[in-house]
């Protein structure tokens, strides 16, 4: 079966319909007819109601019952992430290039309201199913970064910023890796984009006496906490002359992105920018107050 790539990032919201009068198209028409049928809708509602009764769940944003993210909050999240934006000016620890400019970072949205609630629940409340809500905004941000940051015609590799082994064991999954997997399955990435896990945290690291008194965040920002992995992939990608787009969930100070960029630069892979789901506001930035209820 031919691998079809849809350049439109909004295509992720739509179901794939094969061109022409193929058997698959015929079955999709029948599926559509079944889906909008009144009896089928009643059965689906009954099943959903029973499931909500047996396994009660509230919206992670507004606490309305019966769905992990209610229709209203999902719509608000989509609206908040319609226009990805450059956010490197908010993070003071990003690496600088030769012209003293920080590493460019594109964020799908601001870390507040529905987006913050969904990211928090996805990462820390054992709700990996919320990836389906977060993949479309990430796809839009990746598309924007591809258009504005990546050199045209050069292959691009999306590299997830790793999480520490301790956090990964606690969650049981790798949040950014799950999102990139969803992005790949949705087939919205242009053909010249590959996805590879090339960076990991070092297994053991000795804290110096100067670092011992600091908090976990400050210690995590020290150099040499990450290294590259997959020697063969690295050599193959370096030979292809690829450029790297780092992918992370939330941008705060940018120290994690800086460390990942350092590890990749040592392996000979240039980083052209980074994509994040959300960026925390700069300290002097005024935020509009909006209720999520
Ligand atoms: Zn809600």
């Amino acid at each position: 079966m031919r691998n079809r790539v849809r350049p439109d990032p909004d295509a992720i919201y739509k179901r794939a319909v094969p061109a022409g009068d193929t058997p698959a198209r015929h079955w999709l028409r029948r599926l559509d007819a079944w889906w909008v049928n009144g009896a089928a809708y009643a059965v689906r509602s009954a099943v959903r109601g029973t499931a909500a009764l047996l396994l009660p769940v509230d919206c992670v944003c507004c606490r309305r019952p019966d769905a992990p993210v209610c229709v209203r909050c999902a719509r608000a999240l989509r609206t908040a992430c319609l226009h990805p934006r450059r956010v490197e000016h908010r993070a003071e620890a990003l690496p600088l290039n030769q012209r003293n400019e920080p590493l460019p970072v594109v964020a799908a949205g601001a870390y507040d309201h529905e987006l913050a609630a969904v990211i928090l629940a996805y990462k820390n409340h054992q709700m990996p199913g919320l990836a389906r809500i977060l993949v479309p905004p990430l796809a839009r941000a990746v598309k924007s970064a591809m258009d504005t940051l990546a050199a045209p015609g050069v292959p691009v590799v999306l590299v997830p910023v790793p999480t520490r082994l301790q956090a990964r064991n606690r969650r049981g999954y790798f949040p950014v890796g799950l999102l990139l997997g969803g992005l790949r399955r949705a087939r919205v990435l242009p053909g010249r984009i590959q996805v590879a896990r090339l960076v990991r945290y070092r297994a053991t690291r000795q804290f110096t006496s100067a670092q011992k008194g600091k908090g976990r965040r400050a210690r995590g920002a020290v150099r040499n906490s990450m290294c590259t992995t997959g020697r063969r992939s690295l050599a193959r990608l370096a030979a292809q002359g690829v450029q790297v787009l780092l992918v992370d969930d939330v941008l705060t100070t940018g120290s994690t992105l800086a460390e990942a960029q350092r590890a990749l630069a040592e392996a000979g892979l240039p980083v052209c920018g980074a994509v994040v789901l959300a960026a925390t506001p700069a300290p002097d930035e005024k935020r509009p107050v909006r209720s999520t209820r």
Side-chain angles (χ1 to χ4, degrees):
M1 187 176 165
R2 201 159 62 90
N3 188 15
R4 290 176 301 105
V5 172
R6 290 165 290 188
D8 175 15
D10 292 336
I12 199 166
Y13 295 114
K14 304 163 192 168
R15 185 184 310 163
V17 178
D21 197 15
T22 60
R25 192 179 179 93
H26 171 69
W27 276 105
L28 280 175
R29 279 207 193 106
R30 288 186 72 165
L31 193 64
D32 276 343
W34 176 82
W35 192 256
V36 296
N37 181 277
Y41 179 80
V43 171
R44 285 203 309 277
S45 299
V47 169
R48 203 179 299 132
T50 312
L53 209 63
L54 295 174
L55 301 165
V57 62
D58 293 344
C59 173
V60 297
C61 312
C62 67
R63 305 294 165 210
R64 283 193 186 90
D66 295 350
V69 179
C70 69
V71 175
R72 192 181 295 187
C73 292
R75 194 184 302 136
L77 189 148
R78 279 202 297 274
T79 309
C81 298
L82 273 181
H83 302 290
R85 63 215 79 176
R86 294 280 289 271
V87 289
E88 61 266 22
H89 59 279
R90 303 183 184 187
E92 67 271 21
L94 285 171
L96 304 176
N97 64 9
Q98 290 163 347
R99 285 172 292 179
N100 228 20
E101 295 163 347
L103 181 77
V105 183
V106 173
Y111 189 70
D112 56 12
H113 304 306
E114 292 83 8
L115 185 57
V118 172
I119 291 176
L120 195 68
Y122 172 61
K123 283 178 65 182
N124 296 343
H125 298 167
Q126 296 290 315
M127 298 180 79
L130 292 180
R132 70 184 171 81
I133 307 277
L134 296 173
V135 165
L138 184 66
R140 200 182 284 272
V142 168
K143 174 76 168 43
S144 170
M146 285 289 296
D147 292 344
T148 56
L149 304 182
V154 181
V156 174
V157 185
L158 297 181
V159 176
V161 172
T163 52
R164 291 185 183 280
L165 191 62
Q166 196 182 0
R168 191 165 172 169
N169 287 343
R170 189 181 68 240
R171 293 188 185 114
Y173 56 96
F174 176 30
V176 182
L178 272 190
L179 291 176
L180 285 178
L183 209 59
R184 199 161 39 178
R185 281 193 297 279
R187 295 179 185 165
V188 288
L189 298 177
R192 62 186 177 117
I193 289 193
Q194 307 171 57
V195 178
R197 295 184 189 183
L198 299 177
V199 188
R200 66 172 173 82
Y201 273 100
R202 292 185 196 278
T204 56
R205 191 158 54 84
Q206 297 295 320
F207 293 124
T208 64
S209 57
Q211 294 158 6
K212 273 179 183 170
K214 295 181 179 175
R216 194 172 58 176
R217 185 181 291 272
R219 287 203 309 259
V222 295
R223 285 174 66 85
N224 293 322
S225 62
M226 291 184 197
C227 62
T228 49
T229 178
R231 202 187 311 163
R232 281 186 188 172
S233 302
L234 281 171
R236 178 175 54 82
L237 292 170
Q240 288 176 9
V242 299
Q243 49 191 342
V244 172
L245 264 179
L246 292 167
V247 182
D248 204 358
D249 41 25
V250 180
L251 175 76
T252 45
T253 63
S255 57
T256 326
L257 287 175
E259 178 55 20
Q261 191 261 354
R262 184 204 58 77
L264 285 165
E266 271 186 7
L269 288 182
V271 177
C272 64
V275 178
V276 295
L277 268 176
T280 52
D284 57 345
E285 199 171 347
K286 283 185 181 173
R287 309 311 306 264
V289 177
R290 178 166 63 88
S291 169
T292 57
R293 289 175 184 274

